[in-house]
Amino acid sequence: MQILNDIKPQTPNEILRNWLNSLPHKAYQKVKQRLAEECLVPMHTLNNWIYGNCVIRPASQRDINRVSIEITGNELFTITNPGVKSKA
C-alpha cells in the first residue's frame, strides 16, 4: 500500500499540459493561441505555464476554464474563493 501514499495530485501546470496534449493535433496550436489571447499573456508566458516554469494565476485559471468548457465541455481547474465561508 506504500504506492498509494506516494501519489501526488497534479499541479495546475500538469493539468493544462495534459489537457492540451489530449487535443487533436490540428487544434493544438489554435487552442494555445486562443488561451494566450483570453488570458492576455504573450505566448512565451503560456509556454512557461505549460512546461511548469511559472505559476498559473487564479485569474488565468478562470480564463483557461472558460476556453476548456467551450472546447471540450470540461472544467480543468476548481477555483475556490478564500473569502467565502461555507455553511457546512
Side-chain angles (χ1 to χ4, degrees):
M1 286 296 163
Q2 182 64 20
I3 295 173
L4 292 177
N5 293 335
D6 293 340
I7 297 174
K8 297 178 183 176
Q10 289 185 332
T11 65
N13 304 77
E14 292 169 333
I15 293 169
L16 176 61
R17 182 173 51 249
N18 291 336
W19 177 71
L20 284 171
N21 287 336
S22 73
L23 296 174
H25 183 69
K26 288 184 176 183
Y28 184 85
Q29 288 300 326
K30 290 178 184 177
V31 172
K32 276 181 62 175
Q33 184 64 39
R34 172 89 188 279
L35 288 172
E37 291 170 2
E38 288 290 324
C39 295
L40 303 174
V41 296
M43 189 58 73
H44 70 270
T45 299
L46 182 67
N47 287 328
N48 283 335
W49 291 345
I50 293 168
Y51 299 111
N53 296 330
C54 63
V55 176
I56 304 173
R57 301 176 318 238
S60 296
Q61 289 179 9
R62 284 190 296 275
D63 295 336
I64 292 169
N65 272 345
R66 259 197 319 271
V67 174
S68 70
I69 290 170
E70 184 178 318
I71 292 174
T72 59
N74 296 327
E75 187 175 75
L76 297 180
F77 305 110
T78 303
I79 303 168
T80 58
N81 188 349
V84 176
K85 295 182 182 181
S86 65
K87 295 181 181 181

